[in-house]
DNA sequence: ACGCTTGCCGAAACCGGTTTCGGAACCGAC
DNA sequence: GTCGGTTCCGAAACCGGTTTCGGCAAGCGT
């Protein structure tokens, strides 16, 4: 093979560790040990080496080091995109965070996608087997997540974005969605709402359980009764959200406020309310979660708990790098709060549940 | 350094080329040449080597090869995300395409982000300098694109997603946006529209010029006069699109149909029409470009030219890999068509431009 | 003055591959 | 039977680093 015409300018030679060692009159082994902080190098030569390496613009080649050390300085990320995908808007911010934090440490991001769970596991294996990455960030965790067992067995470091059922030996970072949901309920209760509905998030995903728990905890803390009818099934997009809204609003005792686990679904609540001639933020209050950009432009602007995906990406890669360097996973766990965006989609109830029910009936007769 | 407790299961040793050569009673040099198709290896041993390598599950370590060959089998992709970013929805599909095509060839995707042009160029340089990638896919090209000159000078292979001003020595793939825009005009003209407006796309980006050209070409082909008033300034999101719509509809001779360079802006046209009490698809026809998912759910569903970003990603990586292997860049150029999604936002005009103008005036008085 | 650490560095092996070079074995031709 | 030319593989250098091992010289105590 080799030797085809490539008509590309020849790349200039890099400065290698041998160049540095020759310039110093040392062996490359000594230079290497000096640069890597071995204890058997005197402080004087360590400094001399560091300075001339710096001056000559020497930077070790990650993949040349890797052949001996096994580390390539790359964080792995494998996405599984679904048909109607709620986390697409998150992507750009999340990737920016990871890439930024990685390059600050001289690392890079290796990204792959999978279309099924089997392919996901195979891809993880392949990246590990080919030593393309030193570890993984696992986004969107599940209660029972097969990726974890796979990587545990393979002995590969990883950090979860989200919590999971059994997290022994797992490092993780998460946003306290349950606290946000409880806080949403508390805010609405404080405004005078007593019938507060909930629209669930994606089935199976760990966050969905937590946010539901948060809603329930919030209701209990406010001394409100939990009615199963008030809890709508998982909704991940405006269509499903609209269905959920219709269902909640047609209850004999409809909620005057709705807490929604996912912004995309909350957008659908606007449609459901509009159908019934109800004004969001007055006749029906909504507080949601995610902080998607569209929420700012709808009318009224959506009150929601925003998560900083860029910061999450940064934190996760920092944790992963520490993990690869040997930090105990149990010491690498962190929970951050979502920040409430107090906008126009919630307020004190202007109608009682009974009045609201009459309004809904009237609108559906027309 | 080194030697911290890592409490991770030890990774099992890989099978190396030496394992294979020993099993065969050959030297590793011979095995290497056999596997890489050197001409000085007999067909018999080549087959024998290939088979036992396969049987033993041998796969060369990309970064070990790279230290000699300089190739790491990785495609580089650097994104620059903007504030209000039109291409976010594209991301998942695009990445899926790239990742899929790459892994089919045993390559991986190395992704980075940049927040400014300088950072972009620095990031490209860094990835090249550290030999993290063999070449780049450059998304979102500009008329005059500094990335191209940088990579040309560095002698690094790359493939453009989009065309550019001076493309000598450039391989590229693009969607024929100009043809789509011309086709949109032709469709509307065939339905009887004579006043057809245009909402431009992102300033500076190469595609924006091409789509404008396509609109103009379409108008000329249909024998329609081109009125500067009919051409609205660049609009990239619903807000700007709404402004553009207001402006076009308040003309003394408003267009009865609007061709829009970007779906996100077309969504804003819906708002502008609603404000005036005009029905999209009847009083105002709209044909747009991109094929974003939201277009299917608005009322009426948006007629638009959809681009297959997954396919684009696949094609681009295949081209890049060929390019890295030495194919002449001028032989690597491809133009694909967007596919028209014939939905509900366009139809024959029900109002003349003059009648439309009266309707608009009436609505603004209220 | 002696031996014994200790500090510090050179020498060389090593990681997992690729590539160059040279020569043995075979070939047909004379 | 000898010779030049192929065919095909082994040997060894090489890529850019890391890591082990051993030894020299200084420092120390006695």
């Amino acid at each position: 093979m080799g030797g085809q015409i490539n008509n590309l300018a020849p790349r200039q030679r890099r400065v290698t560790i041998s160049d540095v060692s020759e310039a110093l009159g040392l062996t490359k082994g000594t230079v290497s040990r000096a640069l890597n902080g071995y204890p058997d190098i005197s402080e004087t030569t360590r400094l001399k080496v560091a300075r001339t390496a710096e001056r000559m613009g020497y930077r070790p080649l990650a993949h040349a080091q890797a052949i001996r050390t096994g580390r390539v300085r790359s964080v792995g990320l494998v996405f599984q995109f679904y048909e109607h995908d709620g986390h697409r808007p998150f992507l750009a911010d999340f990737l920016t965070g990871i890439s930024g934090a990685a390059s600050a440490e001289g690392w890079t991001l290796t990204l792959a996608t999978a279309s099924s769970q089997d392919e996901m596991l195979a891809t993880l294996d392949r990246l590990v087997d080919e030593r393309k990455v030193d570890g993984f960030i696992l986004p969107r965790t599940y209660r029972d997540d097969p990726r974890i067992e796979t990587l545990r067995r393979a002995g590969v470091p990883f950090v979860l974005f989200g919590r999971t059922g059994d997290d022994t030996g797992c490092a993780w970072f998460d946003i306290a969605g349950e606290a946000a949901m409880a806080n949403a309920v508390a805010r609405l209760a404080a405004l005078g709402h007593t019938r507060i509905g909930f629209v669930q998030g994606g089935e199976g995903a760990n966050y969905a359980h937590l946010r539901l728990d948060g809603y329930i905890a919030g209701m209990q803390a406010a001394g409100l009764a939990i009615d199963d009818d008030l809890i709508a099934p998982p909704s991940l997009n405006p269509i499903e959200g609209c269905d959920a809204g219709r269902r909640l609003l047609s209850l004999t005792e409809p909620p005057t406020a709705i807490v929604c686990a996912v912004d995309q679904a909350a957008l659908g609540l606007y449609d459901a309310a509009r159908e019934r001639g109800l004004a969001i933020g007055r006749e029906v209050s909504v507080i949601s979660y995610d902080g998607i950009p569209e929420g700012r432009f709808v009318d009224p602007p959506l009150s929601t708990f925003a998560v900083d995906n860029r910061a999450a990406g940064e934190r996760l890669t920092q944790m992963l790098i520490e993990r690869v360097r040997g930090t105990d996973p149990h010491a690498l766990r962190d929970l951050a709060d979502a920040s409430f965006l107090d906008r126009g989609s919630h307020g004190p109830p202007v109608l009682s549940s009974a009045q609201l029910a009459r309004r809904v009936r009237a609108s559906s007769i027309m």
Side-chain angles (χ1 to χ4, degrees), chain A:
Chain A
M1 294 304 174
Q4 286 118 331
I5 313 97
N6 217 312
N7 51 10
L8 290 167
R11 299 193 203 169
Q12 65 280 31
R13 232 175 58 81
R14 311 182 89 244
V15 14
T16 73
I17 196 170
S18 300
D19 297 333
V20 177
S21 68
E22 276 176 31
L24 282 162
L26 296 171
T27 61
K28 55 178 191 167
T30 304
V31 172
S32 170
R33 282 180 320 227
L35 258 20
N36 291 312
Y38 274 65
D40 63 345
I41 301 290
S42 77
E43 199 51 34
T44 14
T45 62
R46 185 198 316 291
L47 251 98
K48 214 167 6 175
V49 168
R51 265 202 281 271
T52 61
E54 169 70 28
R55 185 172 46 75
M56 296 177 69
Y58 168 71
R59 280 199 323 264
L61 221 45
H63 63 257
Q65 303 180 288
I67 146 178
R68 196 76 222 269
T69 63
R71 303 256 182 78
V72 289
R73 292 206 300 263
S74 171
V75 352
L77 180 63
V78 184
F79 273 115
Q80 185 170 352
F81 294 122
Y82 298 91
E83 196 69 28
H84 295 293
D85 205 319
H87 65 204
R88 284 189 189 185
F90 298 23
L91 213 52
D93 288 337
F94 190 50
L95 294 176
T96 298
I98 295 178
S99 166
S103 79
E105 293 279 348
W107 285 49
T108 52
L109 165 62
T110 296
L111 187 141
T113 60
S115 56
S116 68
Q117 181 176 295
D118 286 348
E119 195 184 325
M120 159 72 76
L121 297 179
T123 301
L124 293 175
D125 266 335
R126 189 175 73 87
L127 290 175
V128 167
D129 185 58
E130 301 188 350
R131 305 284 194 276
K132 292 280 196 169
V133 303
D134 298 314
F136 291 96
I137 292 175
L138 300 185
R140 187 59 52 107
T141 51
Y142 288 82
R143 247 313 177 37
D144 179 34
D145 203 312
R147 296 172 296 180
I148 295 174
E149 190 46 39
T150 300
L151 294 181
R152 254 193 207 130
R153 194 168 13 229
V156 179
F158 59 91
V159 178
L160 309 178
F161 185 15
R163 283 156 287 175
T164 186
D166 171 22
D167 66 357
T168 47
C170 292
W172 54 256
F173 173 82
D174 201 1
I175 312 288
E178 66 279 24
M181 296 293 92
N183 186 309
V185 171
R187 285 172 186 272
L188 293 167
L191 288 169
H193 293 273
T194 53
R195 290 286 286 176
I196 302 176
F198 183 66
V199 178
Q200 299 192 64
E203 220 155 358
N206 195 69
Y207 77 87
H209 298 281
L210 290 171
R211 292 186 204 167
L212 177 58
D213 291 349
Y215 161 77
I216 292 173
M219 292 293 277
Q220 288 172 335
L224 299 174
I226 291 157
D227 181 346
D228 281 347
D229 287 341
L230 286 177
I231 300 177
S235 311
L236 292 175
N237 54 51
I239 307 289
E240 295 176 353
C242 183
D243 284 344
R246 286 172 183 152
R247 176 165 160 170
L248 289 174
L249 291 175
S250 349
L251 291 175
T252 40
E253 271 188 86
T256 59
I258 301 176
V259 174
C260 194
V262 167
D263 274 355
Q264 286 285 348
L267 261 29
L269 295 179
Y270 280 63
D271 297 330
R274 193 178 298 128
E275 287 174 353
R276 309 282 190 280
L278 300 171
I280 293 278
R282 291 182 45 79
E283 283 99 344
V284 182
S285 282
V286 171
I287 295 184
S288 181
Y289 184 98
D290 271 342
I292 63 174
E294 293 93 312
R296 196 165 51 206
F297 301 122
V298 291
D299 181 30
L302 180 63
S303 300
T304 187
F305 285 87
V307 348
D308 187 340
N309 284 287
R310 157 116 79 125
E314 287 172 359
R315 190 82 188 85
L316 282 162
T317 83
Q318 287 161 352
M319 291 171 81
L320 178 59
I321 290 175
E322 285 187 54
R323 179 75 191 91
V324 169
R325 289 183 178 151
T327 305
D328 183 54
H330 299 270
L332 293 170
R333 291 175 171 182
D334 200 358
L335 197 58
D337 278 313
S339 57
F340 185 59
L341 301 181
D342 193 341
R343 299 197 285 217
S345 67
H346 75 296
V350 297
L351 260 45
S352 71
S353 176
Q355 293 173 316
L356 183 58
R358 273 192 293 277
R359 282 281 299 270
V360 170
R361 267 197 305 276
S363 77
S364 62
I365 290 169
M366 299 194 317

